[in-house]
Amino acid sequence: MRSKLIAGNWKMHGTIKETRKLILQLAVEWKKSCEQVEVLVCPPFTSLIVARHELEMSHIKLGAQNCFTGIDGAYTGEISATMLAEIGCSYVIVGHSERRTIFAETDDLVSRKVRSVLDAKLNAIVCIGESEAQRTSGETEAVLSRQLKGSLAGLSASDIVSVTIAYEPVWAIGTGKTASPEVAETAHRFVRSELETLFPGTSENVRILYGGSIKAENAVSLFSQPNIDGGLVGGASLDAEGFIDIIQAAVSL
Ligand code: PGA
């Protein structure tokens, strides 16, 4: 049985002071450790050290939103997975659609980032998802298949234990237009079958998160689908109460 993961992707939001406040609120509400539900927050790089400090006594895990490839080197402005491990992260989000579209990240680059994350003994949350135009023209499965294959290129079946997939339809991110539970489940089922083809015998153990306008109101119906193993939550994770309600939705199942 896969445990659920509820991950907050804070994106480029929050000063250090705001991070401290939000984390303290979350830590007060989420004191317990729960076998069925793992909770993760991914603040901006500048807040990671403060977040790690504030999370010390809690069961909430810390993640980053991106990294570069390799350990170190002449890559002005970049941060490696090794550095993120040192600061106390246990997860790194890789290949988010905002990085793919705004920063032109390719599947090849994403796959090299995933390799670096795993080499640093961290877990990778690998994001995939189709645009509205791709869905309308019936390309959803082809896009998901291509992104999955490209982003996980070079990995072995034993690497897959440290990989979580986030299915995030681009048309649902930050738009308030959540995928219906049926649409999301169909995509998740497809992703799992593709994973089984790529890494036989592993797919039942891989968590596939849904992301795209998750709110407390739609969380239960999404998380109760058999192939939806939690959520990558953007906007709604910036409000402690709303994020806790989403976590509680996962706990209630
Ligand atoms: P959203 O973002 O919940 O604000 O739609 C999700 C994400 O981009 O990971």
Side-chain angles (χ1 to χ4, degrees):
M1 187 55 194
R2 298 177 297 270
S3 61
K4 291 213 171 356
L5 171 64
I6 307 299
N9 173 12
W10 293 10
K11 308 194 181 184
M12 197 172 72
H13 292 292
T15 60
I16 290 175
K17 199 169 157 197
E18 286 162 348
T19 296
R20 184 174 280 129
K21 186 169 166 221
L22 181 48
I23 290 208
L24 285 175
Q25 287 171 321
L26 291 174
V28 166
E29 294 291 334
W30 190 252
K31 281 197 215 75
K32 55 188 171 196
S33 99
C34 171
E35 263 181 34
Q36 291 83 38
V37 181
E38 206 179 326
V39 179
L40 170 72
V41 289
C42 303
F45 290 130
T46 48
S47 293
L48 287 175
I49 194 98
V50 163
R52 199 235 356 224
H53 182 72
E54 300 299 349
L55 288 173
E56 234 146 53
M57 304 304 283
S58 90
H59 292 278
I60 300 172
K61 294 188 175 153
L62 185 65
Q65 301 169 20
N66 182 34
C67 69
F68 193 55
T69 62
I71 296 172
D72 52 22
Y75 301 111
T76 303
E78 294 296 335
I79 287 178
S80 73
T82 321
M83 293 166 178
L84 297 171
E86 185 191 18
I87 213 168
C89 289
S90 44
Y91 283 85
V92 185
I93 300 171
V94 185
H96 189 280
S97 72
E98 284 148 16
R99 299 219 55 90
R100 290 176 185 266
T101 52
I102 306 169
F103 303 99
E105 289 197 5
T106 60
D107 286 329
D108 173 56
L109 177 60
V110 173
S111 74
R112 287 183 288 122
K113 290 187 174 193
V114 174
R115 181 72 268 157
S116 293
V117 170
L118 304 191
D119 287 347
K121 305 267 179 290
L122 301 181
N123 299 291
I125 299 179
V126 182
C127 304
I128 57 171
E130 80 288 358
S131 67
E132 184 147 45
Q134 287 164 333
R135 174 161 285 269
T136 310
S137 59
E139 291 171 71
T140 299
E141 292 196 346
V143 170
L144 296 181
S145 180
R146 188 179 67 235
Q147 289 184 339
L148 206 56
K149 212 169 172 179
S151 306
L152 304 181
L155 300 192
S156 66
S158 61
D159 289 325
I160 292 300
V161 291
S162 307
V163 171
T164 295
I165 305 295
Y167 167 63
E168 298 204 302
V170 180
W171 47 270
I173 296 177
T175 59
K177 259 206 282 178
T178 322
S180 69
E182 296 72 27
V183 165
E185 171 62 14
T186 303
H188 282 230
R189 206 181 313 116
F190 174 75
V191 169
R192 199 174 301 287
S193 73
E194 289 291 288
L195 283 171
E196 189 57 34
T197 308
L198 293 171
F199 305 99
T202 63
S203 73
E204 282 304 316
N205 300 321
V206 180
R207 282 195 292 214
I208 307 175
L209 311 183
Y210 167 79
S213 299
I214 297 182
K215 304 181 249 330
E217 302 83 71
N218 55 37
V220 170
S221 58
L222 285 162
F223 299 162
S224 52
Q225 300 300 313
N227 286 291
I228 300 186
D229 307 309
L232 184 55
V233 186
S237 70
L238 294 169
D239 167 60
E241 221 173 285
F243 191 52
I244 291 288
D245 286 346
I246 292 169
I247 297 166
Q248 294 296 2
V251 173
S252 73
L253 295 169

